[in-house]
Amino acid sequence: MKDDFINYTEKEPLDPRSAKNGYGNPTFQHDEKPEQNDELKKNKKKKKNEKSKEKMVGVLKLFGYADWLDIILMIIGLIAAVANGTGLPLIIIVTGEMTNRFVMIGQAVNMSSVNLSAVMNSNSTCPAIPGLDIEAEMSRFAYYYVGISFAVMILSTIQVWTFLTSAARQTARIRQKFFFAILHQEMAWFDTSQIGMLNTRLTQDINTIHEGIGDKFCIFVQFFFTFLTGIVIGFVYGWKLTLVILSVSPLLSAAATVGSIFLASFTTKELTAYARAGAVAEEILTAVRTVVTFNGQMKALAKYDVNLENARKVGVKKSITTYTSLGFTEFILFGACALAFWYGTKLTVEEKENYDIGRVLIVLFSLLLGTFYLGQGYPYLESVANARGAAYEVYKVINKHRLLDSSAKEGYRPDQLKGEIEFKNIHFSYPSRPDVKILKGLNLKVQSGKTIALVGSSGCGKSTAIQLLQRFYDPVQGEVTLDGRDIRTLNIKWLRERIGLVSQEPILFAATIAENIRCGREGITDSEIEKAAKEANAFDFISRLPDKFNTMVGERGAQLSGGQKQRIAIARALARNPRILLLDEATSALDTQSESIVQAALDKVRAGCTTIVIAHRLSTIRTADIIAGFHNGVVEQGTHNELMTQKGVYYSLVMQQGHGGNTQNERSESGEETEDEDYEEENLDDLRMENLTDLGGFEEPGIIEMGSIPKRSRRHKSRKTSSKKKSSEKKKTKEKEEENLPAVPYSRILALNKPEWLHIFFGVIAAAFSGGVHPAFSVLYGKIIGAFQETDAEKRSKNTTLISLMCLVLAVISLVTHIIQGFTFAKSGEVLTKRLRSLSFKALLQQEIGWYDDPKNAIGVLLTRLATDASQVKGATGSRLGLFAKTASTLLAAIIIAFVHDWRLTLLILACIPFLIAANAIRLSSVAGQASKDQKALEEASRISMAAVENIRTVASLTSEDAFYERYNASLNGPYRDSLTKAPLYGLIYGIAQCANFFLNATIFRFGAWLIANCYTNFENVFIAFFSVLYGVISVGLSTSLAPDFGQAKVSAQRIFQLLDRKPLIDSYSEEGTKLSQFDGNIEFRDIHFVYPTRPEAQVLQGLSVKVNKGQTLALVGSSGCGKSTSIQLLERFYDPMAGQVFADGFDTKSLHLQWLRSKLGIVSQEPILFDCSIAENIQYGDNSRVVSQEEVEEAAKAANIHTFIENLPEKYNTRVGDKGAQLSGGQKQRIAIARALVRKPAVLLLDEATSALDTESEKIVQKALDDARKGRTCIIIAHRLTTVQNADVIAVIHNGKVVEQGTHSQLLAKEGHYYALVNAQVSH
């Protein structure tokens, strides 16, 4: 029983988090938890902030979703928990009474003047003591022990089983209600909620609620009743002593509480600092191409290190707090024992009739264990509090009144629909930005069956009008009518089912092509799917795929090119046979050939539908029945010819676009095309998702309505999350295949900490000393009980006083050694973590781009590694050695002491130990195993929820909410049934672990009684042997928990070394290579063959040769995937060719200094990546080799034609651009990227579709800026829109990876070859 008490001193989890992975008996825990990856950290941060505002639901409200069965189960569980709580105090009473018996025997032996030691050492028989049958007495006590043990086991099983069952039922219910509520919120709510946070809520927060309403709740009740019973027993058995000991209890609680408060605040700070570092790393790695292009590695490292340094400082404080509060707790405990022994013996003399040694012990341990269990219950209480915090947000969403609820049954459903649409005096601004008026009195009428085209510059409210028609929002003033009825009176779902939408960036779900088309209308037949595909002109390319309609499209349609996705989206819209068709830039993402085909398909399906078209490329809408030109939210309308004569908005747009004739059509097309190209070219298979962010593969910056910025920034977020998610799935499969890591000798891991060896040395010595404290205490404990055999009161009190003082000395030793360990290990561990993170990040930025293409190195995986690996290695050095030293010294001391006092008993105890360890190990492993299994099962559910929430507009416009809800529920079924079947098993395991100690006590004391009865030993020795071994074991228990942790640390160390030792194929830190004193910018590609390392089977370049001289402009043209962007990547040396050479001024680029070469190239790509800092900092990023002055920044901005725009912003150049530039429109980002390229005054300018993402007005301006920038520089342009390259000095047409013809515009037209065909394809429609 005393073992229990020490048990708990050792293992009290001061870190409230550390109790999460066990059922509260954290015997096997230590204070270092590697923090989880960033996502989780951010979460915790959020949760802490929420807690600080104290937004919680009440305890009863927490169980608000329980039905009557759950309530009955919980009542049964609570009754069992209360009864179970009395088990331990009863055991203490039994032990106290038993000690009394032993002492009586001892005194009897003393009085009977038998020379016990003589008997023990000689062979003479053992004299019986009249009137005392010691063995019978002990058998009686053994039966008590066993009876209580069984009761505890049964009660534990019941309490855990009932609570786990009811928690599983409630959680499943909450998940479903929450997901349902999210799916049916109005769009305005999504504009203001972060998508990432909603997914966190669905997974983490609901898991938190699950923890708080499950077994943690009833175990807290159990511990609390142990505390209450303990206090009651104390007062019943000896109120004076109880009051004296209770005076110490507040100190104990205070020490634990203060410790955990500090710890919680440091943990929050540490997580915040690491989350910041993680955010920096994420931003840098997702944009790694940009970083490398602009030689920004050192800047990135510096930024990362600053955040790591903050984390290190907090980490040191955290570690010192942990050790000190542990030391302080032990100090108070040993102090309390000293006080109780001294005062207790005093009372046994003064009040003989009320106090004997058994009572003193009962009082002492009832109180100590009682208060201790209260401390033990704290982490459980905390998880209940966390659950209340998490429930606040979750329940708020579930109970929120939804203004536009797509699940609502009310609303009129007309029998037939003609399709006449009218916008009457509409005023509108987005709820997330009420100060920006988008529409100011829009009036517009669309006749049934007619086509109306909306045109105007970015941000004029065209897409907004479409969103109002779908009732994603309601207008602030005015009304939208359909067949003369205000659409607010119609049923939302009915309305959306009648509308087919094809948007500029179609969202496909990660399912088969057929399933994606089926989203258009539930219950559609296969033949109808084929029909829709034929109409959308997608049937041919689908038939050519190996799995035809069963081909998986990948996440967000990543396996398909832009044009293919667009056609599937059109087929999906057609599948619903819509009366109203909305085409938001539907053909912009296509290259010229597919564009004309799809346009024809659209013209065909428009027949008989009321159609609203949004387009930038005016040639595509000339045939519309009415054209409406938007400007500042008001409209001019008429046919093409009428508007041309009015010379208003439309006229000026046409003039800007086309200088009249037929060229306007190419206007915004190319933006999207390249997309395809980067696309196929990278054909990105799996790595797609990861690269995209860099290649700018997906996001179509084409037409960004100002009004849709929130939508856009969401898209960015979701892209990030999905890439992360993708990579995590991938990681799993990969790890199964192989994780062949280099073997790392332990000496090398220790060597990482070499600079701190002195700290570690002193820490280890202190640990060894603190290990000896417990066995020493067990000797004193035995001696105190032994002292009571002494019948002479004078002598007895002298002995006990001395022993009490020795207890106090132990208390001081324990405190001092803990503080020393805290300081030394904190320093060595945190410095190591920082060192490793910094080195790893540096090594990551050193790798070649091809390495990032490998799915094993997906950004999500790398971020998780950066977050966890370094802190896990910390677990293999200093503090581990300390724990090892402490364990070794405890074990040695304990076993030596035990064998010296009684070897027979010691052997029996050692034989029982494995059972104890096994019971605890099973419990811990079962809990851990379950958690990871649950995680896996819930991953599928979170994939579904992420797909739905990230693309909520698509889900809403397709009215697929119910389909997603069904799929989500189906995916939860497995884990739910699983947790119900596992509940009784966990209960049983918890029960066994709870009562194993009690069975052990019964066995050992029964055997001890036999030894005493047969004069083999005396009872003082029995106590000393018993307790010293138990302490030894507890220590071993603590360090066996070190094994998995050490394994983790080793794997982490291997991963880090693997990264640090890897020699990149193209080393961006390399100082080798020549720097030319003057660089003119003559570039030549000579017979280049190339395949992407991750897809060796797809030949991208097959003998490309092309040359451009100083000051010339070379234009590369050709259809998607022919290798245009690839050649630019080879020039930047992202990759090296398999055969052939790239020359710069006659030198092979491989022989040139890499950073110098890159500093001479300025690149503007189709989808530029900006960093989340100010505009000025983004422009300065262009040249990282020096400090760029504000004058230069402004000069570059003027040249890129963005200066006036920036000057008009409230914070001018200090305006933050948001995550990946999300606060800016496509055109604005593009111009900042141009300014960034110009700041470095490059000798060669690379323009990869630089103007494609702009609308006509900005395009004109930017094109002029580019033309100015090109003067006197060598320039390589990639373009789909051939008008932009007509005046290039050399145009090279690439086909199948080689140049098939080159020359000027007029020469190539005269040849009537490939170029001629491309030009004609573009002009013809």
Side-chain angles (χ1 to χ4, degrees), residues 91-103:
I91 289 274
I92 293 173
I93 295 178
V94 174
T95 310
E97 298 292 345
M98 186 179 74
T99 310
N100 265 346
R101 288 280 174 240
F102 274 134
V103 171

Side-chain angles (χ1 to χ4, degrees), residues 198 253 267 740 1039 1082 1093 1165 1203 1265:
L198 293 180
S253 315
T267 303
N740 45 5
S1039 48
N1082 301 310
S1165 56
H1203 180 68

